[in-house]
């Protein structure tokens, strides 16, 4: 083993020992990182330095094709000039802090709902890689939940009932629950996607609840029945025993598997403190045979 991992929570979440990812090209090391992702579902790499291009190149080496439709792309063009890098910041295009009524800010507040990235798209997001570049003075943790442990913790009878269910995920739905309004044109672009509620992770064959605040319905179910069940599952899955809070340090790169976890941002003083992170997410398409064979 080249990498060492320090587990932070009883079921998941590891901090990896010193390694410089922008120079990591060795397939054995990349394969160890994938193996560690299968085990821990979230990994933190300290002190990373990436340009956007290096960040994207690393993401491709680790997990293949990049997602370019993960979020705000339907609303506005990114200030970063590439849709493969998502701007997770409170900074406007003129580099000042966003005004409280800035539409991008209001849109971004929904990151504080529990979610998985790009589940409202098909293909959805697989690995998200979020890099901390400027952090506020106060804590602005990201919370992660282990959806494999949450699945394991369901009653056996309920597991059987949930098997085979398909959910519709819509970003317009999750934002609308907060009172955010979309134009008709935007609605048209944000039709959403259907994904199974229970996913089996290909390499470990563990099952996980695939949940998000984006879920608007269960296919073939009456709406109130679908929504109450999803609400109950969200409550179950976000109980403290399944959750770990990541306290950011400058230079952290956090990688999470969206098939195995949910996450959410937390509140901070965004009117006065700058927070700039950048995210690259891979496409949840079948893995390249070389990657599967290497495991
Ligand atoms: C994300 C996200 C949470 C945060 O980057 O996908 O949800 O704390 N971020 O910024
Ligand atoms: Mn997210």
């Amino acid at each position: 083993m080249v990498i060492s991992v320090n587990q932070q929570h009883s079921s998941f979440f590891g901090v990896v020992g010193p390694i410089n990812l922008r120079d990591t090209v060795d397939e054995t090391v990349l394969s160890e990182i994938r193996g560690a992702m299968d085990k821990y579902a979230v990994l933190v790499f300290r002190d990373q330095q990436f340009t956007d291009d290096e960040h994207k190149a690393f993401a491709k080496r680790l997990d293949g094709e990049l997602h370019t439709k993960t979020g705000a792309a339907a609303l506005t063009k990114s200030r970063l000039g590439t849709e493969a890098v998502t701007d997770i910041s409170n900074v406007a295009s003129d580099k000042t802090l966003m005004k409280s009524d800035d539409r991008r800010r209001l849109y971004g507040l929904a990151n504080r709902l529990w979610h998985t990235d790009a589940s409202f798209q098909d293909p959805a997001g697989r690995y998200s890689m979020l890099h901390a570049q400027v952090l506020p003075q106060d804590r602005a943790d990201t919370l992660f939940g282990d959806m494999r442990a949450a699945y394991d913790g369901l009653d056996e009878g309920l597991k059987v009932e949930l098997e085979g269910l398909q959910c519709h995920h819509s970003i317009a739905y999750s934002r609308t629950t907060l009172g955010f309004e979309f134009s008709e044109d935007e609605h048209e672009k944000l039709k959403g996607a259907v994904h199974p509620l229970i996913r089996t992770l290909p390499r470990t064959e563990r099952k996980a609840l695939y949940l998000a605040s984006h879920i608007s319905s269960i296919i073939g179910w009456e709406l109130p029945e679908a929504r109450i069940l999803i609400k109950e599952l969200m409550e179950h899955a976000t109980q403290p025993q399944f959750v770990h809070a990541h306290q950011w340090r400058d230079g952290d790169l956090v990688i999470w598997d969206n098939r195995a976890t949910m996450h959410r941002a937390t509140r901070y003083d965004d009117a006065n403190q700058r927070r700039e992170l950048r995210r690259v997410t891979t496409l949840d398409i079948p893995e390249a045979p070389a990657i599967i064979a290497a495991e």
Side-chain angles (χ1 to χ4, degrees), residues 8-67:
Q8 308 290 306
H9 177 277
S10 58
S11 74
F12 78 132
F13 206 105
V15 175
V16 182
I19 177 171
N20 180 347
L21 295 177
R22 99 180 143 177
D23 298 329
T24 299
V25 292
D26 186 323
E27 189 48 44
T28 23
V29 180
L30 293 169
S31 161
E32 271 188 28
I33 296 174
R34 292 179 203 118
M37 284 299 295
D38 287 341
K39 183 164 174 196
Y40 300 98
V42 187
L43 292 175
V44 181
F45 298 83
R46 304 283 191 200
D47 301 316
Q48 302 302 313
Q49 281 181 352
F50 286 122
T51 61
D52 285 351
D53 282 343
E54 287 166 341
H55 189 171
K56 284 189 286 184
F58 171 72
K60 279 192 199 164
R61 289 198 294 281
L62 186 67
D63 197 44
E65 280 187 59
L66 306 185
H67 217 302

Side-chain angles (χ1 to χ4, degrees), residues 88 111 113 115-118 128 130 142 214 256 258 263-265 279:
I88 305 289
N111 269 353
L113 298 171
H115 66 280
T116 46
D117 291 331
S128 284
L130 184 59
T142 307
H214 307 312
W256 62 88
N258 285 293
H263 63 280
R264 80 187 232 16
R279 195 184 84 211

